[in-house]
Amino acid sequence: MKAKSFAELYSERENLPVAKVPELLFHRALYPHARLLAGIVRRLNHRHFLADYEFIEDVGYLHSLQDFSLALGSYIEHPDNRGLLRRTFRIRVSARRMLQIVRSVFGAAETAAAKGLPTGNTLEPFEQNPTGQNSGAPRKATPPA
């Protein structure tokens, strides 16, 4: 079974269609002061929030929290993510706010999935004892063939 994307998990959590996820995420991830100005800025420059919506789209496709850094890197390096309004006045989406949202959704999904897992010594493959301390045994890593 294929893992659900962030957008699917978020739409289930918020009980709304997947198509409405980008707009809700946009408003929740904006800096608070930017929420007041977003409508005006959007009317003056319809491309101002392009980098933000592409970031939200990338985040929507994520299947795990570990992939967030790739989406964030694309957002930071986006050519439209420059300028006085975006950098200095922060009229844009907050990456920290987005990370908090993503963590809350994937954290809840992982917790729900973990309920069906058997309990036991899950540290065994990492050669650690149940207290979490390293056993001191040498690592036996082999390079890929």
Side-chain angles (χ1 to χ4, degrees):
M1 181 174 174
K2 187 178 176 186
K4 291 184 179 182
S5 70
F6 171 79
E8 293 168 327
L9 292 170
Y10 192 74
S11 71
E12 287 176 7
R13 183 177 108 172
E14 298 296 323
N15 198 21
L16 69 136
V18 175
K20 300 223 181 229
V21 167
E23 196 61 33
L24 181 63
L25 281 174
F26 175 74
H27 287 288
R28 288 194 174 164
L30 275 174
Y31 284 98
H33 67 276
R35 290 181 191 142
L36 302 171
L37 301 171
I40 296 167
V41 171
R42 193 178 282 178
R43 281 189 206 104
L44 295 174
N45 181 2
H46 69 279
R47 290 187 48 93
H48 180 80
F49 294 111
L50 179 65
D52 301 302
Y53 278 102
E54 287 183 12
F55 177 47
I56 291 167
E57 183 179 348
D58 289 346
V59 168
Y61 291 123
L62 298 179
H63 289 278
S64 72
L65 180 59
Q66 289 75 22
D67 297 331
F68 182 81
S69 62
L70 297 173
L72 179 60
S74 295
Y75 177 59
I76 290 170
E77 297 299 323
H78 194 286
D80 289 339
N81 203 5
R82 291 171 179 41
L84 187 68
L85 283 179
R86 295 190 64 79
R87 295 289 176 149
T88 304
F89 295 112
R90 295 182 175 183
I91 308 298
R92 59 181 165 85
V93 164
S94 164
R96 181 173 285 134
R97 286 177 177 272
M98 184 64 75
L99 178 59
Q100 290 171 344
I101 295 167
V102 171
R103 277 185 179 153
S104 71
V105 170
F106 280 129
E110 290 173 7
T111 302
K115 288 181 181 177
L117 295 176
T119 58
N121 187 2
T122 59
L123 301 174
E124 188 175 349
F126 301 104
E127 296 187 305
Q128 292 181 340
N129 64 29
T131 63
Q133 299 297 319
N134 192 353
S135 66
R139 297 176 72 181
K140 298 172 188 141
T142 57

